[in-house]
Amino acid sequence: MSNEEWMTSACILCELNCGIKVQAGGESDREIVRIRGDEDHPASKGYLCQKASGLNHYQNGKDRITSPLRRKSDGSFEEIDWDTATREIMERFAAIRDTHGGDKIFYYGGGGQGNHLPGAYSSATRSVLGSVYRSSALAQEKTGEFWVNGQMFGSMVKGDFHHCDVAFFLGKNPWHTHGIPRARVFLRDFAKDPSKTMIVVDPVVTETAKMADIHLRVKPGTDAWMLAAMVAMLIQDERHASAWVEEHTQGIEEIKSAFADISVADYCAHAGLTVEEVRTAVDAIANAKGMAMFEDLGVQMNHHSTLISYLEKLVWVLCGHFGKEGGQYVPAYLQNIAGSGRSSRKTPVAKAPIISGMVPCNVIADEILTDHPDRYRAMLIESANPVHSLADSNRMREALRSMELVVAIDIAMTESAREADYVLPASTQFEKWEATFFNFEFPENYFHLRKPLFEPLGESLSEAEIHARLVEAAGVMPTELVDELRGLLRDGGRAAFRERFMQAMAEDGMVSKLAPVILYRTLGEVLPEGAKEGAVMWPLTLGFAMRDSASLARAGYEGDPITQAEKLFDAIIAGHSGVVFSRDDMSTAWERMGQEGGIQLALPSLLDELSVLEAGPIQRASTEFPFALSAGERRDYTANTIYRDFGWRRKDPDGSLRISPDDAADIGLETGDQARIVTAVGSAMARVEVTDRMLPGHVAIPNGFGLDNEDGTRSGVAPNELTSLADCDKFAGTPHHKFVPARIEAVA
Ligand SMILES: Nc1nc2c(c(=O)[nH]1)N[C@H]1C(S)=C(S)[C@@H](COP(=O)(O)OP(=O)(O)OC[C@H]3O[C@@H](n4cnc5c(=O)[nH]c(N)nc54)[C@H](O)[C@@H]3O)O[C@H]1N2
Ligand SMILES: Nc1nc2c(c(=O)[nH]1)N[C@H]1C(S)=C(S)[C@@H](COP(=O)(O)OP(=O)(O)OC[C@H]3O[C@@H](n4cnc5c(=O)[nH]c(N)nc54)[C@H](O)[C@@H]3O)O[C@H]1N2
Ligand code: SF4
Ligand SMILES: [Mo]
């Protein structure tokens, strides 16, 4: 049976969240049987990649949980009802809060690639618990860059790829990982256009590198030397845009003195590149009308990552590629998931810097496995799988087991949920209204609230409902106010409701903190088409209208800010393919920059860090671990752990270990052989793929593999059984997953 109706939603496998059209069918009409791109989606415009066609493996995947679960004394789980679950969970959290302080209750997650509403609703529960420390996957990849952005620009920045004439991908393989809308169409068109230049810096001959005009095949882990050489070339040859720099930046004298004596020849050699290769790239950047940059995991999960984020930005700022077409801009946002980039607090035990409010992922286990009085004692995990995704899975498992209470909110029985005391079943992203805050497009930015395709399975609930119930179970939902607000919505409409709600927030701080669940229980109940979970968007549209009324007006929402916000909110609820909410030109980049006096070039702690480069990269060829293992490469059929079901993979079903022909010959390996990967923390067996994509000394395994099956077996290598907590960046604490010292052994 198949339902002919095409319903609208989005793919949830990467941050792009391309619009999809779906037909349901199969058993009880609950299967996704047909998927095509949604032409009406503002960014993807009908585009999809090959991964989206498997979305039924997410919706009807294995390991789905459909009832609240409680751990029994024998370690197994039993089903309980929601009232018991929410009551017991809040009683036990409250006991920990009252004895040790709410700051001992840690929150991890809040959303994956396609679902950011859980994080918005969970803030209510966290306020009730007094939980102040939190983290998410962003604190093992992006926080170093956020910190640099915060200091240089006072805001996040993005590259204007769709208008640039030079595109620079640094440790990024957009052919597979996207990161820009319609990535493959973009890359093909860009590569064909003789007036445009694509620069790719990657030790691997990736699909993207093959399309590049300039592929700098840097030695693994040495990007810092290459980028320092680039800055030095610009300074020493006086190639930088001096008039522009004079007008828009501060600190050029410090930069001149820091890079005056760097040996360009030595630094290029350290990176395994010739001076001519690097100079060709620098010439292209210096001569570009607009250069757009994307740095990603190849450098962000590698040595000197925060320094690299800084050097990379110096290269294009010195060439004037900010605030002009094809350069970098400051995006409009409804919810700023990147935060301020500031770091004003430290973690309670390890004293690690908290950037943009997030505890570095690599210290979480150490903050738990200690007798320090300030250790985290309980954890709420939501829409994340830290046992699988954070460094040193065994240590994370041990940390969770040692805690007084762990609660996981997930759709599936994951490696992390298995360590929890309670598991709460969330509806899938196709069973509730859901959205991502990962959109940062320019000159128009958009937002897409997706309508559910199916009823929730079993007893599962949306996170909005779960957090409302947790707050109610704690007895702190202001029920009189809720009733009053419901009455106002019924009789007086939105205006009277807004006035009373604003007044209540001004009078009582707790009302502001609980606002998401109060709105869900009031405004959410009267939204068209039952769009309950959309309620939390209402204050976000108001916030944007207050900050950026002009941008909203250019996008077609006229009137005073309140009128604009209400119009935008209604459009978001009604617009099932997404709506454009901002329309900018490059002058807005300058207006949005949170930095007085222009771009700050001189960041003293990172300029000091340049001295560590003087000694050159560490030589490891003759050590116990002679290889740099990239643990977690993205490939055709990887999508974090969103698909737990392996049936969707049409290639590389067990996730091969890629190795260069020279190394394979040395060790005595051929394609199809089994090899053992050994690191300082663990070992694993993998099938070998000999390929000249890889440089000698460099091997790679994919991410998202190694999920545990119910019967105790595991499919493929779980990368973080091999990675270490200690191996991380000294500024942001982000792990060196792309450079795990390893040994490869042939297995008879
Ligand atoms: N297919 C697919 N797409 C995805 C995802 C997925 O799981 N699967 N996940 C999404 C997520 S969460 C993220 S964060 C992004 C990540 O997107 P990317 O960062 O593009 O992904 P990776 O493949 O992890 O790493 C990028 C590149 O870094 C290179 N690299 C390794 N070592 C070095 C080095 O020393 N220097 C340099 N310059 N490069 C190096 C690798 O060869 C690789 O090509 O992808 C998103 N998109
Ligand atoms: N070694 C190594 N480790 C890595 C990486 C690497 O390259 N190498 N990459 C890292 C990166 S960049 C990232 S982003 C992380 C990703 O790792 P995580 O942030 O842990 O997230 P995902 O693997 O995306 O898993 C998302 C979780 O959300 C659940 N889920 C899906 N839909 C819903 C829903 O609607 N509600 C709820 N409550 N749950 C839902 C899924 O079942 C899954 O458990 O992994 C990181 N780990
Ligand atoms: S995985 Fe492919 S189809 Fe899905 S959102 Fe990303 S680019 Fe779009
Ligand atoms: Mo990521």
Side-chain angles (χ1 to χ4, degrees), residues 303-338:
H303 288 278
H304 313 293
S305 56
T306 302
L307 176 61
I308 286 173
S309 291
Y310 175 49
L311 294 172
E312 163 262 285
K313 285 169 219 307
L314 281 180
V315 169
W316 52 257
V317 172
L318 288 174
C319 297
H321 298 308
F322 176 86
K324 67 175 188 199
E325 196 169 271
Q328 327 309 307
Y329 58 89
V330 182
Y333 60 85
L334 294 178
Q335 173 80 317
N336 178 9
I337 54 156

Side-chain angles (χ1 to χ4, degrees), residues 637 646-647 649-656 687 702 705-706 715-717:
Y637 290 97
F646 286 73
R649 295 201 166 104
R650 299 202 201 128
K651 281 191 211 168
D652 197 23
D654 44 7
S656 63
R687 189 177 48 80
F705 282 73
S715 347
V717 179

